[in-house]
Amino acid sequence: MITLIIFKSNARGMQYGMGTYIRELTGSLLSYPDIKIYVVTYHNSRFKEFDVAVLAERYFEINIPTPKLSLLHDSRNEIKYARAVANLLADIISENEGIIFHMNYIDDLPIMKILRERYEYSVISVVHFFQWEQLFNGNKQKMNGLNIDKPSNNTEFTIFTEKEMLRLSDHVVTINPFMKDFLIKKYNIPPVKISMIRNGINIGRFTKTDSQEKIRLKHKLGFYSHEKIILFCGRIDPDKGINFLVDAFTKACKIKDDLRLVLIGQGYIQDILDKCKQFYGRITFTGFLSPDKIKEFYQIADIGVVPSIYEPCSYSRLEMIASGIPLILTRIEGFSDMSEGEQCIFINRHITHDGDILFDTDEFCNAILSLSGNDKLAETIASNAYRDLLNKNSASDMAKDMIRLYKNLIKNKKPDLEYEKTERR
């Protein structure tokens, strides 16, 4: 029996892609009878006391609240809290066998260190994105000159923390091949310690709608049947390319009067409102929605847009494809597995002399106009992308690869690689 203990922090990304990853992974893993799963949600503000909930057979959720007087950025308090988490898990760990600790974010590092001190069980870390991407908005040039191994500022310390966590892990999982190359070249992680396992989704949870059902759902959600719904789903933040999207959309609105942009998610909404004063009536903000409500919007969407400046593997992209929505994507490394013109329309990336990433809003506008005005093209792109999704991104394949990795780690756990620790600030 494999006992998988997955750690889930209160990081904002857990409400979006990382949270979806955990749901998809656990849902598919449970199809294997020889695995038991505990999802440990720590710093959970929804709970005041330690709580264990049974979600399904062999599937448990452990909720650990945030201390009342918590100084999250104080390393001494982080260590105390990590010890408390490990103490609360002690009985569960002692009662089970074949344990794997599964980490997802740099906030997990203090807990990882305590667990490694107390147990010899394997630890894996999944890299959902790199910290430098978030810190520098995808600008690789800003990595030059950083002293990551001896950090002297918050930026260097954040990247060092990520590197330390991956170096201390028994195995590292990346979700695309470019991430693996970066880990080898920049973080000096041995190739044998890295596996590339693509994100997957349960495609059967998503449905394509016919024209009559789409009209019915549009009316139910308050939209006119003639409107072309352009859908964005994710964090409404600059790194998601939201500013380029809104600029392109407002240009397209000057040419076509049946376009509506729907933005699902939370973030820098005021910045967007300042950009679209002429077209307030053409943009809908839904805020944060449940997965079931998001699926209703997928069913009415005519075009999906994922205009990210960086993106290792967007779950909203996979879900839109599974829902039969034709996509406009930015030409970045995380989307390079798709074919131009056959499976999506790409917006080319432009890198300035200083390394900043830009997209041409005229090119973006033309893509919107092209897809919204050509139903045959939209249908062809959506169908081709769907077939490709079946081959590359099924949750069952992701779970199969992860099960194989878990079993190999349990059977052939290697001695820890020697690692020179750097003192915390």
Side-chain angles (χ1 to χ4, degrees):
M1 175 70 75
I2 301 170
T3 302
L4 180 64
I5 302 179
I6 300 175
F7 289 87
K8 182 180 177 182
S9 73
N10 65 347
R12 185 168 170 235
M14 287 295 174
Q15 300 178 46
Y16 295 93
M18 286 190 288
T20 303
Y21 169 84
I22 292 173
R23 287 196 301 273
E24 293 287 357
L25 177 63
T26 54
S28 291
L29 287 175
L30 287 171
S31 66
Y32 292 83
D34 57 344
I35 190 167
K36 182 190 294 185
I37 302 172
Y38 294 88
V39 176
V40 181
T41 304
Y42 63 93
H43 281 310
N44 193 333
S45 59
R46 296 187 297 108
F47 287 79
K48 295 182 179 180
E49 297 181 351
F50 176 74
D51 178 79
V52 180
V54 181
L55 302 183
E57 185 181 1
R58 298 178 286 108
Y59 186 26
F60 306 88
E61 182 179 67
I62 299 174
N63 296 292
I64 303 176
T66 299
K68 291 182 180 179
L69 299 175
S70 177
L71 300 174
L72 300 182
H73 299 292
D74 185 299
S75 60
R76 289 172 298 179
N77 283 336
E78 287 178 350
I79 294 170
K80 287 179 181 178
Y81 184 77
R83 287 199 181 101
V85 170
N87 291 341
L88 290 168
L89 298 177
D91 287 345
I92 291 170
I93 294 171
S94 66
E95 293 168 359
N96 288 281
E97 60 182 3
I99 290 173
I100 296 284
F101 298 120
H102 179 128
M103 308 293 175
N104 290 285
Y105 191 60
I106 63 170
D107 290 353
D108 301 338
L109 178 59
I111 298 172
M112 176 200 283
K113 287 183 172 181
I114 300 300
L115 293 173
R116 289 191 68 87
E117 288 175 4
R118 298 185 183 183
Y119 306 102
E120 295 184 356
Y121 297 120
S122 293
V123 178
I124 74 163
S125 290
V126 178
V127 186
H128 298 280
F129 65 92
F130 288 121
Q131 291 297 316
W132 70 266
E133 293 176 312
Q134 193 168 63
L135 290 166
F136 304 137
N137 212 16
N139 188 331
K140 291 182 180 179
Q141 290 186 27
K142 292 185 178 180
M143 286 281 287
N144 298 334
L146 294 182
N147 192 343
I148 297 171
D149 293 321
K150 294 183 178 180
S152 60
N153 56 55
N154 287 336
T155 296
E156 291 176 345
F157 184 76
T158 299
I159 299 173
F160 161 76
T161 300
E162 177 177 70
K163 181 177 179 179
E164 182 182 26
M165 178 172 171
L166 301 179
R167 291 280 299 273
L168 287 174
S169 301
D170 292 293
H171 205 82
V172 178
V173 173
T174 67
I175 57 179
N176 70 42
F178 301 100
M179 301 178 83
K180 183 174 181 177
D181 291 342
F182 180 89
L183 290 178
I184 294 168
K185 294 174 182 177
K186 298 294 186 181
Y187 284 1
N188 300 317
I189 307 295
V192 70
K193 190 176 165 180
I194 307 170
S195 294
M196 197 280 286
I197 300 176
R198 295 184 186 276
N199 284 352
I201 64 169
N202 181 351
I203 298 169
R205 292 193 301 105
F206 300 89
T207 57
K208 303 176 186 179
T209 53
D210 59 31
S211 58
Q212 291 303 311
E213 177 64 9
K214 180 178 280 192
I215 290 172
R216 187 191 71 78
L217 281 172
K218 281 185 175 180
H219 289 164
K220 174 188 172 183
L221 295 170
F223 300 103
Y224 293 111
S225 58
H226 72 277
E227 289 183 302
K228 291 286 187 178
I229 305 295
I230 301 166
L231 184 65
F232 170 91
C233 184
R235 292 183 289 109
I236 301 177
D237 292 351
D239 63 292
K240 294 297 182 180
I242 199 74
N243 293 319
F244 298 108
L245 168 59
V246 171
D247 286 345
F249 176 76
T250 55
K251 288 182 178 182
C253 283
K254 294 175 182 178
I255 300 171
K256 290 195 70 176
D257 61 4
D258 61 349
L259 303 177
R260 175 171 293 276
L261 177 61
V262 177
L263 303 173
I264 299 176
Q266 295 174 325
Y268 294 87
I269 292 175
Q270 187 59 52
D271 293 347
I272 304 307
L273 290 172
D274 292 341
K275 283 179 167 290
C276 61
K277 292 179 180 178
Q278 284 183 284
F279 299 99
Y280 281 155
R282 308 278 284 278
I283 300 181
T284 298
F285 296 91
T286 70
F288 189 81
L289 297 179
S290 69
D292 286 341
K293 181 58 70 172
I294 290 173
K295 282 196 285 187
E296 290 189 8
F297 278 89
Y298 286 160
Q299 289 177 302
I300 68 168
D302 297 288
I303 299 171
V305 285
V306 189
S308 302
I309 291 174
Y310 64 89
E311 190 81 64
C313 182
S314 164
Y315 257 105
S316 61
R317 172 182 71 122
L318 302 183
E319 291 176 348
M320 288 182 188
I321 293 172
S323 302
I325 305 170
L327 295 184
I328 298 172
L329 305 174
T330 44
R331 194 186 295 277
I332 57 176
E333 290 173 343
F335 299 155
S336 64
D337 58 332
M338 299 191 69
S339 300
E340 167 72 47
E342 296 180 0
Q343 299 169 356
C344 68
I345 292 182
F346 274 125
I347 308 302
N348 290 307
R349 177 177 62 175
H350 302 278
I351 300 177
T352 69
H353 177 74
D354 295 325
D356 293 328
I357 297 172
L358 305 174
F359 302 105
D360 187 332
T361 55
D362 287 333
E363 182 185 0
F364 206 152
C365 169
N366 290 334
I368 292 172
L369 295 173
S370 177
L371 266 188
S372 64
N374 190 332
D375 292 342
K376 185 175 181 180
L377 173 63
E379 184 179 346
T380 299
I381 283 177
S383 296
N384 290 340
Y386 184 83
R387 283 194 295 270
D388 191 61
L389 181 74
L390 293 173
N391 294 326
K392 292 181 180 176
N393 297 102
S394 73
S396 60
D397 285 345
M398 175 175 66
K400 179 177 68 176
D401 290 341
M402 292 299 288
I403 283 284
R404 185 184 300 117
L405 174 59
Y406 298 148
K407 289 183 176 180
N408 285 341
L409 285 171
I410 291 169
K411 183 180 179 181
N412 304 308
K413 186 177 186 302
K414 306 292 188 208
D416 295 339
L417 295 172
E418 186 176 337
Y419 177 65
E420 182 178 347
K421 295 181 180 178
T422 302
E423 290 295 323
R424 293 188 141 229
R425 50 174 188 171

